[in-house]
């Protein structure tokens, strides 16, 4: 008997046919929730940014750093005279020279001993001179100050020091004043000059109280050489320049050919380029040269002179020019080129003032504070006072100070 096997019915479903899924009404998300319209955020991200007053890692910006309106103007301040009683211009010069730099902070200066010694050495080498513009800024009247200056110069109390070609117009910095007693103290304290040359120099200062330059015959060549090396004399002789270059021939004088051929014939940096070893004798000083004597007929007739000056005057003028430019640049950052006086002082100090926000943050131990030695005021200007620079800018007419009536004094560019 044959057995027949019946195949079991196949349970496989035909391809392409999916089983319908039943939706559970309990698992459906309702869109009627009041929070469904809000965007999703990660739990780690903050929902709001704290206000500036609650951000300890950033310094709060001044409220008048970029005001929407101009500062109120209640009137121009005509003088920045010191609160202490100052009599004549001589006392005013003494006051200005003693208030040029701030003392180095005893704690938290941000400078090592080497840098501190460099700053002190730089301050000591500066001459005790004051610009005439600075005196005008602290005087009740510029006219009265000029009369007082002329009177004190004639009496031998002051000397006027003029350096030509240092700025144009109100930006000129070459007109300065110095107390004669400080000038004499500088020459007496110089170690590179012998006693005879010092006495001769002091005698010239007494005999010519208002002369910026004297004839070359006032000093012997040896004396003049010592004084020039020490920085107390400079040469302003046309004869020295004429002998250092080729003189035109009488037949070609005044022609273009003579001007072309009158260039220097010596290499730059050599002794011949500056007039040779006998340049001092050629300038009209007389005496022996470096082995041979040269006559200089008529050198006094063409105005050969020595200018009386002080050492490191150029260093002082460069400091003055750069400080003025820096203060004007800080003031130009404001929208209307004006700012409150306290804000401008904070900018000059580089947010490292010993009072206010910086000091309180230093006491609290914040690590992001700016130390004085890290600011431009101490790196470039060696601790120059803000008030001193402001008075210089007011004196030359670059800025003006006015009373706001609400936030104290204001400063604006002119």
């Amino acid at each position: 008997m044959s057995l027949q096997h019946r195949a079991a019915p196949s349970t496989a479903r035909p391809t392409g046919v999916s089983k319908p899924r039943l939706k559970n009404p309990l698992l459906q998300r309702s869109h009627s929730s009041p929070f469904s319209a809000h965007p999703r955020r990660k739990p780690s991200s903050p929902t709001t940014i704290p206000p500036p007053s609650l951000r300890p890692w950033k310094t709060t910006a001044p409220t008048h750093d970029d005001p929407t309106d101009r500062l109120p103007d209640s009137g121009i301040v005509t003088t920045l005279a010191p609160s202490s009683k100052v009599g004549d211009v001589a006392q005013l010069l003494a006051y200005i020279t003693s208030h040029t730099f701030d003392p180095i902070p005893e704690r938290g200066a941000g400078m090592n001993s080497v840098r501190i010694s460099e700053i002190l050495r730089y301050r000591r080498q500066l001459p005790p001179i004051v610009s005439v513009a600075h005196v005008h800024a602290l005087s009740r009247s510029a006219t009265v100050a000029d009369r007082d200056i002329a009177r004190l110069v004639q009496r031998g109390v002051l000397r006027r020091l003029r350096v030509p070609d240092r700025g144009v117009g109100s930006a000129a910095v070459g007109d300065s004043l110095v107390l004669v007693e400080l000038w004499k103290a500088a020459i007496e304290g110089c170690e590179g000059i012998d006693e005879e040359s010092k006495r001769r120099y002091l005698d010239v200062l007494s005999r010519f109280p208002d002369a910026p330059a004297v004839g070359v015959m006032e000093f012997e060549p040896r004396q003049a050489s010592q004084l020039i090396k020490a920085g107390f004399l400079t040469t302003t002789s046309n004869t020295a320049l004429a002998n250092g270059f080729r003189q035109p021939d009488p037949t070609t004088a005044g022609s273009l050919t003579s001007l072309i051929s009158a260039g220097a014939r010596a290499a730059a940096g050599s002794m011949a380029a500056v007039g040779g070893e006998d340049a001092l004798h050629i300038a009209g000083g007389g005496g022996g040269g470096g082995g041979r004597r040269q006559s200089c007929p008529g050198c006094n007739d063409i105005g050969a002179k020595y200018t009386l000056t002080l050492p490191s005057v150029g260093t002082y003028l460069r400091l003055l020019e750069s400080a003025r430019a820096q203060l004007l640049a800080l003031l130009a950052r404001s929208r209307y080129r004006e700012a409150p006086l306290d804000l401008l002082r904070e900018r000059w100090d580089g947010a490292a003032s010993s009072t206010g926000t910086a000091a309180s943050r230093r006491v609290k131990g914040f690590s992001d504070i700016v130390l004085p030695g890290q600011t431009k005021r101490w790196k470039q200007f060696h601790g120059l006072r803000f008030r001193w620079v402001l008075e210089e800018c007011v004196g030359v007419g670059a800025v003006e100070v006015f009373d706001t009536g609400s936030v104290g004094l204001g400063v604006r560019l002119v």
Side-chain angles (χ1 to χ4, degrees):
M1 182 175 179
S2 62
L3 298 176
Q4 296 180 356
H5 297 278
R6 182 178 294 180
S10 176
T11 58
R13 297 188 181 91
T15 59
V17 180
S18 60
K19 181 179 179 181
R21 296 182 178 180
L22 298 178
K23 297 182 178 180
N24 190 347
L26 298 178
L27 299 178
Q28 293 183 0
R29 182 174 298 174
S30 175
H31 295 282
S32 61
S33 174
F35 304 101
S36 59
H38 293 272
R40 298 184 61 185
R41 296 181 182 272
K42 293 183 179 181
S44 60
S45 61
T47 56
T48 58
I49 299 177
S53 59
L54 299 179
R55 282 182 264 170
W57 61 87
K58 290 186 178 181
T59 303
T60 305
T63 56
H64 296 280
D65 197 7
D66 195 10
T68 56
D69 298 328
R70 288 182 176 273
L71 294 175
D73 189 352
S74 301
I76 301 297
V77 178
T78 58
T79 180
L80 298 177
S83 57
S84 58
K85 186 177 181 180
V86 178
D88 56 2
V89 175
Q91 297 180 5
L92 195 59
L93 261 64
Y95 171 83
I96 295 174
T97 53
S98 62
H99 291 76
T100 303
F101 295 98
D102 274 332
I104 297 178
E106 297 181 359
R107 300 180 58 185
M111 296 174 287
N112 55 18
S113 59
V114 176
R115 177 56 183 165
I116 292 176
S117 64
E118 291 176 355
I119 293 177
L120 296 178
R121 185 165 54 251
Y122 178 87
R123 294 180 178 182
R124 284 195 301 267
Q125 73 173 353
L126 291 179
I129 61 179
V130 177
S131 65
V132 177
H134 202 149
V135 175
H136 289 168
L138 298 185
S139 302
R140 302 293 180 181
S141 172
T143 304
V144 176
D146 290 337
R147 294 174 182 173
D148 200 6
I149 291 173
R151 178 178 57 84
L152 293 176
V153 168
Q154 292 296 330
R155 290 174 49 189
V157 179
L158 300 180
R159 285 194 70 91
R160 200 152 189 166
L161 184 62
R162 290 185 175 91
V163 180
D165 302 330
R166 293 305 297 258
V168 180
S170 61
V173 295
D175 195 2
S176 305
L177 300 170
V178 59
L179 292 171
V180 174
E181 59 179 7
L182 297 181
W183 197 318
K184 292 181 178 180
I187 188 68
E188 291 175 353
C190 185
E191 299 179 354
I193 305 175
D194 57 23
E195 294 298 328
E196 182 181 357
S197 300
K198 291 180 180 180
R199 289 194 299 268
R200 183 64 176 176
Y201 191 88
L202 295 176
D203 178 67
V204 171
L205 288 179
S206 302
R207 289 190 292 112
F208 303 96
D210 57 347
V214 296
V216 294
M217 302 303 295
E218 295 292 337
F219 299 96
E220 297 180 359
R222 177 183 56 82
Q223 298 173 349
S225 179
Q226 294 180 2
L227 294 170
I228 289 175
K229 290 180 180 179
F232 290 94
L233 285 182
T234 58
T235 57
T236 59
S237 172
N238 296 330
T239 306
L241 295 176
N243 284 275
F245 293 86
R246 181 181 181 272
Q247 296 183 3
D249 296 333
T251 58
T252 60
S255 64
L256 184 60
T257 305
S258 63
L259 295 178
I260 295 176
S261 60
R265 297 299 182 88
S270 62
M271 287 293 297
V274 295
E277 296 180 356
D278 295 330
L280 187 60
H281 174 73
I282 294 173
R292 58 189 179 93
R293 298 174 62 90
Q294 297 186 10
S295 60
C296 181
C299 60
N300 292 331
D301 297 338
I302 63 175
K305 291 182 177 297
Y306 288 140
T307 301
L308 304 174
T309 184
L310 284 170
S312 303
V313 173
T315 304
Y316 168 83
L317 296 181
R318 285 191 296 270
L319 175 67
L320 178 57
E321 290 175 334
S322 59
R324 286 182 185 177
Q326 175 67 11
L327 187 66
L328 298 182
L330 294 177
L331 190 57
R333 288 168 43 184
S334 300
R335 177 180 300 179
Y336 298 107
R337 299 162 64 89
E338 62 183 16
L341 183 64
D342 294 336
L343 172 59
L344 189 59
R345 179 186 291 109
E346 184 177 352
R347 290 178 181 176
W348 174 263
D349 294 340
S353 176
S354 59
T355 59
T357 307
S360 61
R361 291 173 59 79
R362 187 182 299 116
V363 172
K364 294 179 181 178
F366 287 97
S367 60
D368 63 338
I369 60 175
V370 180
L371 297 177
Q374 301 172 347
T375 61
K376 190 173 184 178
R377 178 195 174 203
W378 287 91
K379 287 183 177 180
Q380 180 178 350
F381 302 116
H382 303 84
L384 196 62
R385 286 192 174 186
F386 164 77
R387 187 81 179 186
W388 189 91
V389 185
L390 177 65
E391 292 164 356
E392 282 285 345
C393 294
V394 172
V396 299
V399 301
E400 62 182 9
V401 181
F402 60 97
D403 187 9
T404 64
S406 56
V407 292
L409 298 179
V411 186
R412 72 162 62 96
L413 285 175
V414 179

